[in-house]
Amino acid sequence: MKISFENPDKINGLLTIVVEEEDYKNDVEKTLKDYRKKANVPGFRPGQAPMGMIKRQFGPSVKMEAVNKIIGQQIYKYVQDNKIQMLGEPLASEKQAPVDIEKDGPYTFMFDIAVAPEMKVSLTGRDKVDYYKIVVDDKTIDQQVDMLASRSGSYEKAENYEGNDMLKGDLRELDENGNTKEGGITVESAVLMPSYIKVDDQKKLFDGAKLGDIITFNPRKAYPDNDTEVSQLLKIERDAVKDMESEFSYQITEIQRFKKHEVNEELFKQVFGEDTDVKDEAAFRAKIAEGLNEQLVNDSDFKFLLDVRAHCEKKVGKLEYPDALLKRIMLANNKDKGEDFVEKNYEMSIKELTWHLIKEQLVSAQNIKIEDADIKETAKEAARAQFAQYGMTNIPEEYIENYANEILKKGDSTEALVDRAVDRKLAAALKGVVKLNEKEISVEDFNKMMQG
């Protein structure tokens, strides 16, 4: 076998492989002998068919399979041995001449290989990068206290309607004279929240309503752009809503008012567990601040890594890529989406590829290795974040462990967990390498900055 590699412009490579008969002969003969043992050919006992017949029937396909196997192995061995930074997969070259596998070798195969542009990036203490220290202020803690009190709140019965109350009542369709329509729609214990009614004149009909009052309104007019809401309220098919113009009476049988949980010891235990040492509101707020600070470090590190990326991309400048070849590779990987998809997404894919190449060098320079324990810890971090979204900040470690194990069992998120683990370790390492330009910022301003 002969292998040669041409790369005159440093980014468009041409790999040529000449496969000799000696390279595949033994594998082909072995495979054909195995075929002969298993072949069931009419007129011959099993395993006794003439080898010539087996070769004529299976020879070309077996040879092609053997040649393809050799080519695949040799391409990646050559790339690895010669430290070629290949982008994507090798493609059959446009210079490739037709190969007749039924003729004797040697066979020549040519492959176009996209090569990463030469680039060197490094970070030292002379590199200055912003680091945002997110300050947990009273406003943020107030919002968390309000959220936790709301999640532990409950409904209580009331005698008169106020803004966000939930009503239960009996709905009855009316005829043109304002009487209950014979055979019309009736819904008992229909749930209604007037605050969600979009049309003001319909919403105002419920102002000052009391338990037992009868309100006359038009559901279709109340929700003119929401057929689903009307169909659910009246218990009718969605298609029937367009023909529903009737007025309805609504007799209020129950008024429920949501009340937030008091900020007291019972709430402290619900949030932090029965064994919590939080006994007053000051300690409650301090505990919330402590938990927020832990979460916000991850947000600060995420933003830091974004700024590291921008800093490195500026240092590297615009890189030259084998655009035509990369577009062919992209198209080959997205055959069902066509050339328009490639043109639309190519620029963004190159931007991501540049960061991938930069990050590879940074990870290598910091000697970052990802172990199973890192992936497990990242899964646990994801579990804590998931629980935190629901205000659950004091989940026992065994539950976190079990949840993380479930994430890992699914397997479909393993690659994302590895990427996240790399980012976590890289951010931690680079904070000790570059000069941090620390800036204090409120949670609100930080969120606005990230949204922008």
Side-chain angles (χ1 to χ4, degrees):
M1 178 177 295
K2 300 175 183 176
I3 302 180
S4 61
F5 184 66
E6 302 171 39
N7 186 24
D9 64 359
K10 305 298 184 183
I11 53 176
N12 286 282
L14 178 65
L15 185 70
T16 302
I17 300 179
V18 180
V19 181
E20 309 280 356
E21 184 177 359
E22 291 75 16
D23 298 322
Y24 58 80
K25 181 178 179 181
N26 291 339
D27 285 344
V28 170
E29 288 181 355
K30 181 179 181 303
T31 301
L32 290 175
K33 286 179 182 178
D34 290 340
Y35 273 40
R36 186 189 183 204
K37 291 177 184 177
K38 300 172 185 177
N40 190 3
V41 180
F44 298 93
R45 286 182 296 171
Q48 297 300 312
M51 180 57 78
M53 182 181 293
I54 298 296
K55 286 183 177 181
R56 284 194 299 275
Q57 186 172 354
F58 300 108
S61 61
V62 169
K63 187 194 294 186
M64 192 72 253
E65 186 177 339
V67 169
N68 282 335
K69 181 181 177 181
I70 292 168
I71 289 172
Q73 291 172 341
Q74 292 302 315
I75 286 177
Y76 289 101
K77 184 178 185 301
Y78 186 89
V79 166
Q80 187 174 24
D81 290 348
N82 291 274
K83 295 181 172 56
I84 299 171
Q85 196 169 9
M86 181 171 64
L87 303 175
E89 298 294 315
L91 289 183
S93 176
E94 294 174 333
K95 298 178 180 179
Q96 175 70 53
V99 174
D100 188 350
I101 203 70
E102 294 190 8
K103 293 183 178 179
D104 293 337
Y107 308 112
T108 299
F109 297 92
M110 307 174 78
F111 295 92
D112 291 328
I113 290 181
V115 181
E118 292 181 359
M119 174 264 295
K120 179 67 176 175
V121 62
S122 62
L123 294 173
T124 69
R126 292 190 296 273
D127 293 283
K128 191 175 183 180
V129 181
D130 290 341
Y131 187 84
Y132 290 89
K133 184 178 180 181
I134 307 172
V135 179
V136 180
D137 53 19
D138 286 340
K139 182 179 179 180
T140 303
I141 297 174
D142 288 342
Q143 291 171 343
Q144 286 294 112
V145 171
D146 185 71
M147 180 267 291
L148 294 170
S150 294
R151 284 182 174 165
S152 296
S154 59
Y155 281 93
E156 58 183 24
K157 292 184 178 181
E159 295 294 321
N160 60 301
Y161 170 73
E162 293 180 3
N164 291 312
D165 290 349
M166 182 173 68
L167 306 180
K168 281 188 179 180
D170 298 332
L171 269 171
R172 290 181 174 83
E173 187 178 2
L174 303 179
D175 60 22
E176 293 179 355
N177 298 316
N179 300 315
T180 300
K181 184 177 180 179
E182 186 176 349
I185 296 171
T186 298
V187 182
E188 295 182 352
S189 298
V191 176
L192 187 64
M193 292 189 73
S195 59
Y196 289 118
I197 293 176
K198 301 298 182 184
V199 180
D200 286 341
D201 62 352
Q202 292 291 313
K203 183 187 295 187
K204 287 178 180 177
L205 295 172
F206 293 86
D207 288 353
K210 298 183 295 297
L211 196 63
D213 283 357
I214 299 176
I215 311 295
T216 299
F217 80 113
N218 189 309
R220 176 69 169 165
K221 291 180 180 178
Y223 306 99
D225 302 318
N226 196 332
D227 291 353
T228 300
E229 187 75 31
V230 178
S231 69
Q232 291 177 348
L233 178 64
L234 302 182
K235 309 299 182 188
I236 61 176
E237 294 295 328
R238 195 172 183 276
D239 292 341
V241 171
K242 64 180 182 297
D243 299 321
M244 177 53 63
E245 301 294 341
S246 300
E247 299 276 319
F248 279 75
S249 67
Y250 185 73
Q251 184 170 21
I252 301 172
T253 58
E254 189 175 317
I255 301 175
Q256 291 190 346
R257 182 166 300 150
F258 183 77
K259 184 180 180 182
K260 296 176 186 176
H261 200 293
E262 289 185 33
V263 180
N264 56 20
E265 193 166 347
E266 184 180 30
L267 178 62
F268 307 156
K269 289 181 179 180
Q270 286 185 22
V271 175
F272 296 117
E274 287 291 330
D275 298 330
T276 183
D277 56 359
V278 175
K279 302 300 181 185
D280 55 38
E281 186 172 353
F284 184 54
R285 294 173 67 86
K287 189 79 170 177
I288 289 172
E290 180 185 335
L292 284 173
N293 280 320
E294 291 177 2
Q295 296 173 36
L296 293 173
V297 167
N298 292 328
D299 294 340
S300 293
D301 286 355
F302 176 75
K303 171 60 176 166
F304 169 67
L305 209 53
L306 290 178
D307 289 337
V308 166
R309 171 175 175 168
H311 180 79
C312 290
E313 286 174 344
K314 187 176 180 180
K315 288 185 74 171
V316 167
K318 184 174 175 59
L319 300 177
E320 185 180 358
Y321 285 95
D323 296 321
L325 179 51
L326 286 178
K327 286 180 180 180
R328 283 174 55 205
I329 294 172
M330 194 172 174
L331 182 60
N333 292 332
N334 297 276
K335 292 178 181 177
D336 57 325
K337 297 178 180 177
E339 293 183 3
D340 288 344
F341 172 83
V342 173
E343 291 299 330
K344 183 178 179 180
N345 292 279
Y346 181 73
E347 186 175 343
M348 182 56 67
S349 70
I350 288 298
K351 187 173 180 64
E352 293 303 314
L353 177 57
T354 299
W355 169 235
H356 173 76
L357 295 174
I358 291 171
K359 190 160 78 166
E360 277 189 337
Q361 292 194 18
L362 297 179
V363 168
S364 176
Q366 300 306 316
N367 197 29
I368 291 173
K369 309 292 183 186
I370 299 300
E371 311 290 346
D372 288 344
D374 298 313
I375 300 173
K376 179 67 171 289
E377 185 55 42
T378 303
K380 290 167 71 173
E381 178 193 82
R384 292 188 190 96
Q386 186 71 33
F387 284 120
Q389 288 183 359
Y390 301 101
M392 305 165 70
T393 58
N394 195 45
I395 303 298
E397 189 62 24
E398 62 180 293
Y399 288 102
I400 297 293
E401 185 88 13
N402 291 337
Y403 195 93
N405 287 335
E406 288 301 315
I407 294 175
L408 293 170
K409 274 183 188 177
K410 291 179 182 177
D412 54 357
S413 58
T414 302
E415 185 175 346
L417 289 173
V418 171
D419 287 343
R420 175 63 189 141
V422 170
D423 286 349
R424 289 174 65 236
K425 295 187 81 169
L426 182 59
L430 292 180
K431 283 193 291 184
V433 172
V434 301
K435 181 177 177 57
L436 298 180
N437 181 31
E438 294 189 352
K439 299 180 178 181
E440 288 194 348
I441 188 171
S442 69
V443 174
E444 183 178 4
D445 287 344
F446 182 82
N447 289 336
K448 285 180 181 178
M449 178 176 64
M450 295 303 290
Q451 289 168 3

